[in-house]
Amino acid sequence: MPTYPPSSSYIAGELGVGGGSELPVVDPSTGAVIWTYRADGSASVAAAIEAAADAYPDWSATTPAERSKALQTLETELEWIAEELAQTETAQTGKPIRLSREFDVPGSIDNVAFFAGAARHLEGKASGEYSADHTSTIRRESLGVIGSIAPWNYPLQMAVWKVLPAIAAGNTIVLKPAENTPLTTLMFAEACERAGIPAGVVNIVNGPGPETGQALISSPRIAMTSFTGSTAVGRQIASVAAGNGTRLHLELGGKAPFVVFDDADLDAAVRGAVAASLINTGQDCTAATRAYVHHSRFDEFVAGVAELMKKVRLGAPTDPETDQGPLVSFKQRDRVAAMVDRAIRDGATAVTGGRAPEGELAAGAYYEPTLLVGADQRSEIVQDETFGPVLVALPFDSDDEAIRLANDVPFGLAASAWTRDVFRAQTAARSLAAGTVWINDHIPIISEMPHGGMKSSGYGKDMSTYSFEEYTQVKHVMSDITAVAAKPWHQTIFANA
Ligand code: NAP
Ligand code: MG
């Protein structure tokens, strides 16, 4: 059993306790309260912003090598507590321990390792004489204090995706995790302290979005707001940022299509669809949610997916044999269940699933892996984010129709195409409107490559050196090299002087 942090905030290098209302952290597999904390109100948030602003001049003046060294030490500190992080992530989210151990925690640590290296590779255009009379130099500078808000689906990973590019580039940060999943982010902050990252560089505040989150992002002292979460909240946050003129980075919802052409390896597509729709109990912004399958392979695909979904073992998240845990909360489970019920009422059929399990698992926020057919392209279950273990399969007749249907939602975060034809694959890669397109796979991510959306899925990139575009600003320094007072271009202003 991991030891949970003794406090709920980390401000100026001190663990602290917020003065607001008391909030529970619930294990969704049982409904048991595993931790309680007091929310950070506007005074704590102001103190955190102050601490980040105080730490900024010194941290931004460190060399890339110094920042890199600090992040390498952080990587080691996180390796030490990897198992504790995995157990805590599982306890607060209900995700299966195998996923925490093999995906969330090592993925987060690899991201830290990546940014330890990337801190030394900030890029710009070559300095030189683009005008014969001047030398141009590019400076890539940090922004200041970053205000960040993260969601509950991958709490540690989302914290790392926000904090690492920000501090690697020389910024300081105040991060608010999701209200129901604060624990691993606090453990991460404690690791930052042990790694010797100076007080105030990383600050964590906890509490409800509309209070703690709003206090953070409304502050005019924030140089940039970086948000990962739903499209609706993202838009509300964008309106606050617009009011203050704050720079913005939004990673929002998704509704990824999974396109199976008639020449696809069907076994690979079936396995891929089940894994990609059920990962993290479907609470993944890039999860496969809409399978468009050529009509000649549709029945075979549906039968294969249903059969494999039935083999997925629901159970206690702590049991290494468990494939799928509960959803993150009873509220989220009920939301998903209501959406599936409405789809069925409107004409869809559940080939498998479509309900919460009975028996022992009824005490937790479980929902069966669900495959729906017969839904209308315009219906809610096809158009809106479900964020649960639900895949909708729809047939198509032509390649053009498949791409059109795949793009026919407001979101554009991720997509995949399944084919053995290299020309089809290239056409799909070009035509699918999504920030990530997989060919013959769906879900893998890698620290070196960017993650981010198009359309209503937001803008800006997480991970990879592309994220430095978000967390830095480019300055052009143009120096005269002629030492001549009367410059040729002056004559356009005063020709006779
Ligand atoms: P959410 O409701 O939008 O919440 C996200 C974060 O925003 C939470 O910390 C939340 O605090 C906070 N928040 C809520 N209302 C706020 C407000 N009025 N002002 C300021 N902050 C506010 O999303 P969620 O339900 O936690 O997470 C699921 C969503 O995240 C899905 O839509 C998913 O697609 C998206 N997501 C996107 C990506 C990506 O990279 N594009 C990655 C992961 C998740 P509370 O905890 O108090 O609600
Ligand atoms: Mg929420």
Side-chain angles (χ1 to χ4, degrees):
M1 191 68 188
T3 329
Y4 296 136
S7 61
S8 58
S9 63
Y10 178 68
I11 298 171
E14 300 287 335
L15 292 163
V17 178
S21 50
E22 189 168 89
L23 297 167
V25 175
V26 174
D27 174 348
S29 69
T30 58
V33 173
I34 59 167
W35 199 66
T36 55
Y37 68 100
R38 296 185 80 86
D40 288 303
S42 52
S44 312
V45 173
I49 294 171
E50 184 82 35
D54 288 350
Y56 178 66
D58 284 351
W59 181 248
S60 60
T62 54
T63 62
E66 286 166 336
R67 294 198 292 276
S68 171
K69 188 83 200 138
L71 300 186
Q72 287 172 44
T73 312
L74 175 60
E75 180 196 351
T76 308
E77 287 296 335
L78 292 171
E79 294 281 10
W80 278 112
I81 58 165
E83 177 58 21
E84 263 189 282
L85 283 167
Q87 288 185 27
T88 307
E89 201 71 309
T90 282
Q92 70 178 353
T93 61
K95 69 178 70 200
I97 190 69
R98 280 206 324 270
L99 188 68
S100 295
R101 282 185 185 142
E102 292 166 25
F103 187 78
D104 291 68
V105 174
S108 302
I109 295 175
D110 185 66
N111 225 252
V112 174
F114 171 78
F115 280 107
R120 304 179 75 165
H121 290 279
L122 291 176
E123 290 186 343
K125 220 171 154 71
S127 298
E129 290 66 49
Y130 295 90
S131 131
D133 295 344
H134 304 87
T135 295
S136 282
T137 313
I138 288 296
R139 294 178 52 82
R140 189 172 276 280
E141 298 182 346
S142 53
L143 301 167
V145 178
I146 311 298
S148 252
I149 296 187
W152 44 253
N153 57 343
Y154 294 103
L156 178 66
Q157 221 165 3
M158 293 303 105
V160 165
W161 285 14
K162 298 284 167 220
V163 171
L164 266 294
I167 68 171
N171 303 283
T172 57
I173 188 166
V174 180
L175 170 71
K176 188 203 91 68
E179 177 185 325
N180 46 344
T181 56
L183 284 165
T184 47
T185 307
L186 289 166
M187 292 164 72
F188 169 80
E190 292 178 288
C192 288
E193 164 143 41
R194 289 193 298 275
I197 293 173
V201 172
V202 175
N203 304 275
I204 311 295
V205 290
N206 275 300
E211 290 136 52
T212 315
Q214 280 296 313
L216 175 58
I217 58 132
S218 311
S219 168
R221 301 187 71 185
I222 296 291
M224 168 178 162
T225 298
S226 167
F227 172 78
T228 299
S230 62
T231 297
V233 174
R235 289 195 173 153
Q236 198 276 330
I237 281 172
S239 72
V240 175
N244 286 347
T246 309
R247 187 173 169 136
L248 195 57
H249 174 192
L250 295 176
E251 297 287 353
L252 309 177
K255 190 76 187 179
F258 184 106
V259 181
V260 184
F261 292 103
D262 59 5
D263 66 329
D265 174 342
L266 211 79
D267 184 37
V270 164
R271 293 175 63 88
V274 174
S277 60
L278 301 185
I279 184 167
N280 207 32
T281 319
Q283 301 161 118
D284 182 307
C285 48
T286 64
T289 59
R290 302 175 287 137
Y292 295 100
V293 185
H294 189 263
H295 67 82
S296 66
R297 314 296 296 276
F298 188 77
D299 292 346
E300 200 185 339
F301 177 86
V302 166
V305 167
E307 191 188 320
L308 192 50
M309 277 187 171
K310 284 183 195 141
K311 291 186 182 149
V312 168
R313 293 163 301 193
L314 270 60
T318 49
D319 182 349
E321 299 287 305
T322 292
D323 296 321
Q324 185 185 301
L327 284 101
V328 77
S329 64
F330 291 88
K331 185 175 147 207
Q332 183 65 13
R333 194 274 306 275
D334 294 347
R335 220 188 124 254
V336 169
M339 219 164 150
V340 171
D341 289 349
R342 285 194 294 276
I344 291 170
R345 187 200 63 203
D346 293 344
T349 306
V351 182
T352 187
R355 60 196 173 118
E358 285 158 7
E360 256 177 48
L361 296 180
Y366 289 87
Y367 198 73
E368 289 186 4
T370 298
L371 175 64
L372 297 175
V373 295
D376 188 87
Q377 173 69 17
R378 301 308 319 157
S379 65
E380 177 192 52
I381 199 82
V382 176
Q383 293 290 322
D384 291 349
E385 209 175 26
T386 314
F387 235 55
V390 180
L391 180 67
V392 185
L394 300 134
F396 68 83
D397 291 324
S398 69
D399 288 18
D400 285 352
E401 185 193 11
I403 301 291
R404 184 177 57 75
L405 293 171
N407 287 340
D408 172 35
V409 295
F411 301 102
L413 189 60
S416 65
W418 298 73
T419 176
R420 290 173 161 119
D421 181 327
V422 67
F423 300 105
R424 261 182 171 159
Q426 289 300 328
T427 303
R430 187 174 70 242
S431 317
L432 289 166
T436 298
V437 175
W438 289 281
I439 305 295
N440 296 321
D441 208 342
H442 191 124
I443 285 299
I445 50 174
I446 195 80
S447 298
E448 287 83 351
M449 289 292 149
H451 167 92
M454 294 179 177
K455 295 159 65 180
S456 293
S457 294
Y459 42 80
K461 299 295 178 196
D462 283 327
M463 306 206 293
S464 81
T465 51
Y466 288 97
S467 62
F468 287 138
E469 305 294 334
E470 317 299 323
Y471 294 97
T472 59
Q473 51 198 341
V474 168
K475 181 186 282 177
H476 173 208
V477 181
M478 196 173 195
S479 307
D480 171 69
I481 54 171
T482 65
V484 172
K487 309 209 190 287
W489 71 269
H490 291 172
Q491 60 132 5
T492 56
I493 319 297
F494 40 84
N496 299 320

